[in-house]
Amino acid sequence: MRAIRWKDGVVVALDQSKLPKKLVYLKMGNYRQIASAIKAMKIRGAPLIGVAAALGLALTAYHSKAKSREGLFRELRRTEALLRSTRPTGVNLFWALHRVMEKAYWTHGDIEAVKKTMICEALKIVEEDVKLNLAIGKNGEHLLENGDVVLTHCNTGLGTVEYGTALGIIRAAVKSGKKIKVVVTETRPQLQGARLTTFELKHDGIPATLITDSMIGYVMANKIVDKVIVGADRILKSGHVLNKIGTYTIAVMAKMHGIPFYVAAPSSSIDLKTNVKNVVIEQRDPIEVLTFSGERIAPKGIRALNPAFDVTPPRYVTAIITEKGIFKPSKISLAT
Ligand code: MRU
């Protein structure tokens, strides 16, 4: 299932906030619509956010009526600034915007040439994402053995254009004939595991068991889980992994129980420049924690924390799988 596509100056994306109840596609003709879909997590998952942002720039280029290069770049910079402000933690957003903007700056010639190159580059990023996931799946599938029960957190399938990162490895292992079962964490407060990962696994006919986030200790202590594979929103040179809130807890528990903890991500998720002290963890509206399915669950006046991501130190990470191969966290810079 494709999470996003480009059709004649319109970006069509699955509205992930409506799944699994409704299959709704958003049709977006301008970058503002893309930005608000990212902010509202209708489009989500670090790689997919990067792809959507690249397509946001492509929309501006496609529809621009600018008469001069300066005019076009003014519109592009406005687009880039808004898209950059949507979500701070996943690095793919900044990587994709930089890649398309660089292409534009380095394209000499008339406005039409700039527009054309930008649209081509954005579409290249879309297609590359699918290929990268297939390569991650191929590189990682032999880490899984026939009969393994794999725990995954959040959603790493629809968080890409197609196939997925951690989910791509599970899919590749199943495709190669291994019997794999998956334990899916619900992933409060947005329930990406309960709503999206179970939806994808059911679609593929891969056996899935849903647990609440607080059952991690139980499933590990009771030897229900053999391996863990999660995605990443940003991986630092030091090997620290930023991923969905709760990942750190899972990684520490996995280490305590001698369970391998793998991270799967494309090389566009690697950030060699930022120090762990300077990473920005997105803080979302506490209302997401204070409510469940639109109903308030805590008394009025109670405060809530809502960090969307956490940081897992490299000592808890067994290996990181990218399209380039399998790396120890301390060697992740070799994957760029
Ligand atoms: O807040 P989200 O749903 O955008 O967070 C997504 C995750 O944390 C995923 O695990 C990660 O981006 C990998 S998606 C291939």
Side-chain angles (χ1 to χ4, degrees):
M1 188 182 287
R2 281 243 161 174
I4 204 161
R5 62 179 79 241
W6 167 272
K7 200 168 183 305
D8 307 327
V10 177
V11 174
V12 183
L14 200 55
D15 181 346
Q16 301 197 24
S17 67
K18 298 276 191 302
L19 282 171
K21 285 190 191 152
K22 287 187 199 148
L23 205 61
V24 176
Y25 285 91
L26 305 162
K27 291 193 174 69
M28 293 161 288
N30 65 60
Y31 73 97
R32 285 191 192 85
Q33 291 168 313
I34 301 254
S36 59
I38 295 174
K39 248 182 169 342
M41 292 179 64
K42 292 170 187 233
I43 294 174
R44 50 145 297 280
L48 187 66
I49 291 171
V51 167
L55 291 175
L57 279 172
L59 281 178
T60 298
Y62 187 94
H63 295 288
S64 173
K65 304 238 176 331
K67 299 266 181 301
S68 65
R69 200 177 157 94
E70 292 69 38
L72 174 64
F73 274 91
R74 218 173 300 123
E75 290 178 25
L76 292 173
R77 279 193 290 273
R78 204 180 304 136
T79 302
E80 188 192 7
L82 184 71
L83 289 164
R84 283 180 83 90
S85 72
T86 52
R87 296 193 71 190
T89 306
V91 76
N92 313 61
L93 166 69
F94 308 100
W95 167 86
L97 288 170
H98 178 75
R99 181 166 152 181
V100 179
M101 286 303 281
E102 276 292 287
K103 204 78 194 171
Y105 285 125
W106 287 101
T107 303
H108 303 292
D110 61 9
I111 306 183
E112 289 314 310
V114 177
K115 289 183 184 178
K116 203 168 155 208
T117 336
M118 288 183 73
I119 296 163
C120 281
E121 194 64 11
L123 296 183
K124 213 164 135 196
I125 290 176
V126 178
E127 292 316 314
E128 268 177 27
D129 185 73
V130 182
K131 289 197 191 111
L132 294 178
N133 293 329
L134 289 167
I136 292 170
K138 206 164 159 218
N139 290 338
E141 73 87 3
H142 67 90
L143 296 169
L144 302 186
E145 290 161 75
N146 191 30
D148 270 351
V149 178
V150 181
L151 184 140
T152 191
H153 188 50
C154 196
N155 173 268
T156 61
L158 290 168
T160 67
V161 175
E162 204 172 66
Y163 205 65
T165 54
L167 201 56
I169 293 177
I170 293 167
R171 283 176 160 144
V174 170
K175 195 161 176 246
S176 76
K178 293 172 200 165
K179 289 209 178 344
I180 305 290
K181 289 182 182 158
V182 186
V183 170
V184 181
T185 53
E186 62 174 350
T187 322
R188 271 278 284 159
Q190 290 267 349
L191 303 175
Q192 293 93 327
R195 296 188 300 102
L196 309 174
T197 305
T198 54
F199 171 79
E200 289 194 81
L201 290 166
K202 187 176 175 210
H203 174 270
D204 285 15
I206 302 173
T209 302
L210 181 64
I211 61 168
T212 63
D213 299 326
S214 46
M215 293 176 196
I216 291 294
Y218 177 88
V219 293
M220 293 193 179
N222 286 284
K223 303 196 184 317
I224 293 172
V225 168
D226 300 301
K227 277 151 201 168
V228 177
I229 313 183
V230 298
D233 295 77
R234 190 184 289 238
I235 302 171
L236 307 182
K237 192 178 178 182
S238 53
H240 287 81
V241 173
L242 282 88
N243 192 46
K244 180 52 55 195
I245 189 76
T247 303
Y248 173 48
T249 319
I250 299 171
V252 174
M253 289 304 286
K255 180 111 181 160
M256 290 290 292
H257 290 90
I259 296 170
F261 179 89
Y262 298 114
V263 175
S267 53
S268 53
S269 302
I270 301 170
D271 170 7
L272 296 181
K273 292 195 196 119
T274 311
N275 186 284
V276 68
K277 290 194 198 98
N278 302 327
V279 287
V280 179
I281 300 288
E282 177 185 3
Q283 304 291 328
R284 295 188 62 85
D285 192 333
I287 200 71
E288 293 178 355
V289 174
L290 293 165
T291 55
F292 190 87
S293 266
E295 295 273 320
R296 200 175 172 97
I297 52 171
K300 282 223 166 88
I302 289 294
R303 283 191 290 265
L305 279 180
N306 193 10
F309 302 96
D310 59 24
V311 182
T312 299
R315 64 181 175 279
Y316 298 110
V317 179
T318 311
I320 301 171
I321 302 114
T322 79
E323 76 278 11
K324 308 242 173 86
I326 302 178
F327 300 86
K328 284 273 161 217
S330 56
K331 296 272 186 281
I332 196 59
S333 54
L334 299 175
T336 55

